[in-house]
Amino acid sequence: MNHFQIRPATKDDARRLFEWRNDDSTRRMSKYKGGVGWDEHVGWLDRRLKMDQPNLFIFELNQEPVATFRIDGEDVSYTVAPEHRNRGVAKMMLNEVRSRFGCLRAHVYADNEPSIRVARSAGLDVVIMDP
């Protein structure tokens, strides 16, 4: 049986989040498709973690970080670590996100059908974006 937990992201997650963010597939599905440099990433993470409510989380499965999500107002953004994709992680995570945080909105590109399906199955409001 899989045991999962959601925990707030910390500075110790900087390298992991940097690698996940710069993964080719993640970049293709992001609003900003360019790579992010280390200094830019660390600056963003520092600013995010200093917010009153950073709402940046790490999803762990069997005590291993496998995904991340952040909440900005009514919007949720998420990514699954490349080596953990296509294993049901996003479904498990988004179902828990919906359970804990209520109905949020996910902006997903029209050509990202797997993400559209999993977000809808978790009960999120999905906004389809043009690629």
Side-chain angles (χ1 to χ4, degrees):
M1 182 171 161
N2 289 323
H3 171 74
F4 68 84
Q5 75 172 21
I6 292 174
R7 65 167 175 80
T10 69
K11 293 266 302 178
D12 291 339
D13 295 305
R15 177 61 57 186
R16 171 180 301 113
L17 291 170
F18 175 76
E19 290 171 1
W20 292 351
R21 169 58 183 90
N22 282 308
D23 168 70
D24 287 341
S25 180
T26 300
R27 287 183 22 221
R28 277 193 307 276
M29 299 304 159
S30 296
K31 287 181 184 178
Y32 174 70
K33 299 191 181 315
V36 175
W38 176 250
D39 290 340
E40 180 183 359
H41 171 71
V42 170
W44 170 83
L45 184 59
D46 283 343
R47 288 187 304 278
R48 187 78 196 200
L49 295 177
K50 288 178 184 172
M51 294 171 71
D52 287 339
Q53 294 184 348
N55 289 333
L56 178 63
F57 301 94
I58 301 294
F59 185 79
E60 294 183 340
L61 191 58
N62 301 323
Q63 300 181 331
E64 179 184 359
V66 296
T68 184
F69 68 95
R70 80 170 188 265
I71 299 172
D72 293 302
E74 298 297 316
D75 294 331
V76 62
S77 301
Y78 53 92
T79 192
V80 174
E83 64 273 17
H84 292 280
R85 292 182 181 144
N86 302 311
R87 297 182 184 174
V89 170
K91 182 177 181 177
M92 192 181 318
M93 178 177 67
L94 292 180
N95 281 330
E96 189 62 21
V97 167
R98 172 75 160 89
S99 172
R100 291 186 188 197
F101 299 99
C103 187
L104 297 170
R105 184 177 43 231
H107 296 260
V108 184
Y109 285 108
D111 60 348
N112 190 351
E113 293 178 25
S115 193
I116 292 169
R117 279 193 307 271
V118 73
R120 284 184 173 154
S121 75
L124 300 179
D125 288 332
V126 178
V127 176
I128 307 296
M129 301 185 309
D130 290 328

